[in-house]
Amino acid sequence: MLTTKAEEFAKRLDHPEIKCSNGWLDRFKDRHNITFKKICGEAKSVDVNSEAMNDWVTELKGIMTEFTPDNIFNADETGLFYKLLPEKTLEFKGVDCSGGKRSKERLTVMVCTNMSGSEKVEILVIGKSVNPRCFKNVKTLPTQYEANKKAWMTSEIFTNWLIKLDKKFLRQQRKVAMIVDNCPAHPHVKGLKSIKLVFLPPNTTSKTQPCDQGIIQNLKVHYRKRVLMKQIACAESKTEFSLTVLDALRFLQRAWFSVTATTISNCFRHAGFSVDIESRVSDRQEEEDDDDDDIPLARLAGINFTEYANIDNDIPTN
């Protein structure tokens, strides 16, 4: 639209020879601080005044009364192109990852944390291969790992994961609320003794799910910083860049460790869970520090780091 209008103006000003290239468009956008943003995203489509949202607000108040912030958890899955490098970003945009070559380079990652950020549950990673060659002679994996043909979360994997977590909380003599979305891979699990399973209203997770408010995004930023650092190290040592599933698990473990408690609590607040004022102030400072830390690496790689970090946010996970 911009290039068409610019060429129209050029003709009216007696310069029909002017043709606006992509380079012209990029410079025009930079000069006038223009960015393209998604208008009809999922968050925009959520009716905050709907009956389902009003019911959720009431239910959430009950959860906040019954459980302390240390015992309110949120779990969510995200897809991850674990080998993706910045120069390949455009190739992956909008790609169907249910099959084909691209699906071999993806993982599903389950993250789970409590509202206070004091307890981040060990990450669960789902891949396509049960025993990748890189696992040979490895006694202990950095994260939990499961596998199936599509590298997706299934009701069986979710049930086993939840039961295992329930036993852990039972040993600790705790009662916790586990908040998840209502996708088919999250069934009602019977027999839980310490976990109260709470389902978010359908089609509201962009507003109500804490992990969608920035926790997963922050994890991916830290993960992809490590991928870029490995790429740079390979370039400097003149060795070929390669990334195995085991490398991805190690990077994810370190990235998850780097997601701060204040970032987590702030994301819960954005989803309607209350946190104290001091946490909000310290979180703003931490977020500024994180952004400053990201800038040199993004400039060094010459990329749009935000686009790179978020490229696989919308791929299917179940």
Side-chain angles (χ1 to χ4, degrees), residues 5 9 21-22 40 75 79 110 136 173 220 267 272 277:
K5 195 65 181 176
F9 283 138
S21 64
N22 287 336
C40 298
M110 163 79 95
K136 188 177 181 180
Q173 298 182 337
K220 288 187 174 184
C267 290
I277 294 174

Side-chain angles (χ1 to χ4, degrees), residues 223-235:
Y223 174 83
R224 293 209 152 104
K225 279 178 64 177
R226 284 159 176 79
V227 172
L228 278 183
M229 289 167 69
K230 181 177 174 68
Q231 184 189 27
I232 292 167
C234 288

Side-chain angles (χ1 to χ4, degrees), residues 114-309:
N114 65 354
M115 176 180 164
S116 65
S118 62
E119 186 173 353
K120 291 179 284 186
V121 176
E122 183 184 17
I123 276 182
L124 169 63
V125 179
I126 305 168
K128 294 197 76 174
S129 175
V130 177
N131 289 304
R133 281 182 292 179
C134 57
F135 285 7
K136 188 177 181 180
N137 299 324
V138 177
K139 294 182 179 179
T140 306
L141 295 176
T143 70
Q144 297 182 66
Y145 182 80
E146 298 287 346
N148 57 54
K149 290 181 180 180
K150 289 192 174 182
W152 282 1
M153 174 61 75
T154 65
S155 56
E156 181 182 3
I157 291 175
F158 177 77
T159 299
N160 291 337
W161 174 83
L162 197 63
I163 290 174
K164 181 179 178 182
L165 203 56
D166 185 63
K167 290 178 180 178
K168 172 189 170 183
F169 290 141
L170 185 61
R171 289 194 299 270
Q172 296 173 347
Q173 298 182 337
R174 293 167 66 185
K175 293 289 185 181
V176 308
M178 179 64 69
I179 299 169
V180 297
D181 60 45
N182 68 338
C183 76
H186 300 162
H188 291 269
V189 181
K190 297 180 180 179
L192 298 175
K193 297 179 180 178
S194 288
I195 293 177
K196 177 182 180 181
L197 196 56
V198 180
F199 293 95
L200 293 167
N203 305 316
T204 64
T205 54
S206 60
K207 290 286 189 183
T208 58
Q209 177 116 270
C211 282
D212 281 351
Q213 307 307 310
I215 295 172
I216 287 174
Q217 181 188 26
N218 198 240
L219 170 72
K220 288 187 174 184
V221 165
H222 286 295
Y223 174 83
R224 293 209 152 104
K225 279 178 64 177
R226 284 159 176 79
V227 172
L228 278 183
M229 289 167 69
K230 181 177 174 68
Q231 184 189 27
I232 292 167
C234 288
E236 290 176 347
S237 62
K238 297 181 180 179
T239 57
E240 185 179 355
F241 174 85
S242 66
L243 196 71
T244 67
V245 173
L246 184 60
D247 291 329
L249 299 191
R250 287 171 177 156
F251 287 176
L252 282 166
Q253 181 198 39
R254 295 168 193 166
W256 190 221
F257 179 80
S258 299
V259 179
T260 64
T262 45
T263 295
I264 290 169
S265 62
N266 200 41
C267 290
F268 269 83
R269 179 175 63 83
H270 279 299
F273 298 71
S274 62
V275 293
D276 58 66
I277 294 174
E278 288 183 15
S279 175
R280 299 180 198 179
V281 174
S282 61
D283 188 51
R284 280 198 296 271
Q285 181 63 47
E286 258 187 74
E287 286 180 345
E288 288 172 5
D289 291 343
D290 282 347
D291 287 343
D292 290 342
D293 193 35
D294 286 343
I295 289 171
L297 189 59
R299 284 180 181 162
L300 182 61
I303 60 163
N304 181 334
F305 193 84
T306 302
E307 182 180 75
Y308 171 52

